Amino acid sequence: MNEAKGAMTVVEGNPDWKADVSLVLNNARHKRNVILRTTLDRLGLWKSKHNKNVSPFKSSSSQSQKQAAIIDNEVWVFDVDATRSSDIVAAVKIAMNYYKVSADVIIKDVYTKNLNAECEHKMTRQALVEANKGLYFNTSKALVEAAKTLGVSGTLNFWVFSNNKNYKIPREDLHQSFINANAFNVTTDTKRHIATSASNDATRLLENAITHLHLASFNL
């Protein structure tokens, strides 16, 4: 292929509303030709949630037990808990094997939209904020650990789409979670963006909502 320029995502849902991995600060764009998308759900549950019929492909990557599929010419890996570095490593290895690239092409830019704790309706609003702070903290730590395990050095950029006034985790709390995870730089794009997101159970859709792009950078 041409020069490999990649990115990955965590906690994807419906591929119709996947995270835009080309967007960077100041409304600029970086073209990506190596894309790994990961989702927490197992393949069967994911297909039933989103009414999608895709077939897994067999990966020879390190005898991985993770199921994967090619959707719109991108690698998707299922049953990936983004707070577990071992799951992230397994997913990256599948994509490395498929695209024939090194790990640093894939994992140095990671995107997600609105990480949100499960069972949110059983929590008070403040408890949900604290749970989501923990979720972003643990995901950040797992990404860094996974990148180091894969031999990647330099900087890992974690890009997050989340409205500054998101009541589930306002900007200040989101940024604090990154700082607590040892980010050396945390910033928010001055531009506003439009994105569509679904609830964890895929029963509710927030269409064309205003969101903001945050960047947390970590040393590897």
Side-chain angles (χ1 to χ4, degrees), residues 144-200:
V144 170
E145 183 179 343
K148 290 180 177 179
T149 299
L150 290 161
V152 178
S153 59
T155 300
L156 185 149
N157 292 317
F158 189 18
W159 304 87
V160 175
F161 290 96
S162 179
N163 189 287
N164 285 338
K165 296 181 179 180
N166 182 357
Y167 72 89
K168 298 178 182 181
I169 182 164
R171 176 182 181 273
E172 293 75 15
D173 294 286
L174 176 65
H175 284 202
Q176 189 61 53
S177 69
F178 295 140
I179 293 168
N180 292 345
N182 298 321
F184 70 83
N185 179 60
V186 181
T187 189
T188 301
D189 199 342
T190 57
K191 304 290 185 180
R192 298 192 302 175
H193 304 283
I194 301 296
T196 296
S197 299
S199 59
N200 288 357

Side-chain angles (χ1 to χ4, degrees), residues 36-151:
L36 165 64
R37 298 187 186 274
T38 68
T39 183
L40 179 62
D41 294 328
R42 293 180 180 273
L43 179 57
L45 176 58
W46 181 88
K47 289 196 292 187
S48 65
K49 266 188 181 183
H50 305 294
N51 194 27
K52 300 292 181 181
N53 188 19
V54 298
S55 298
F57 78 90
K58 180 66 176 177
S59 172
S60 60
S61 171
S62 303
Q63 299 179 335
S64 175
Q65 299 301 307
K66 301 295 184 187
Q67 287 188 297
I70 305 301
I71 304 174
D72 298 329
N73 298 315
E74 299 172 348
V75 173
W76 283 63
V77 181
F78 303 87
D79 189 27
V80 175
D81 182 341
T83 67
R84 292 173 56 90
S85 63
S86 58
D87 278 11
I88 297 168
V89 168
V92 172
K93 286 183 175 179
I94 290 172
M96 290 168 62
N97 183 68
Y98 179 81
Y99 289 114
K100 308 303 182 189
V101 297
S102 59
D104 65 299
V105 173
I106 299 168
I107 198 173
K108 295 191 81 171
D109 285 284
V110 184
Y111 287 74
T112 196
K113 287 195 300 182
N114 297 318
L115 292 186
N116 191 38
E118 299 290 338
C119 304
E120 62 176 291
H121 298 300
K122 297 181 181 180
M123 304 182 197
T124 64
R125 180 169 296 187
Q126 188 55 42
L128 179 59
V129 170
E130 292 302 319
N132 284 331
K133 285 177 68 175
L135 185 55
Y136 277 103
F137 171 87
N138 290 328
T139 299
S140 299
K141 299 290 280 187
L143 287 169
V144 170
E145 183 179 343
K148 290 180 177 179
T149 299
L150 290 161

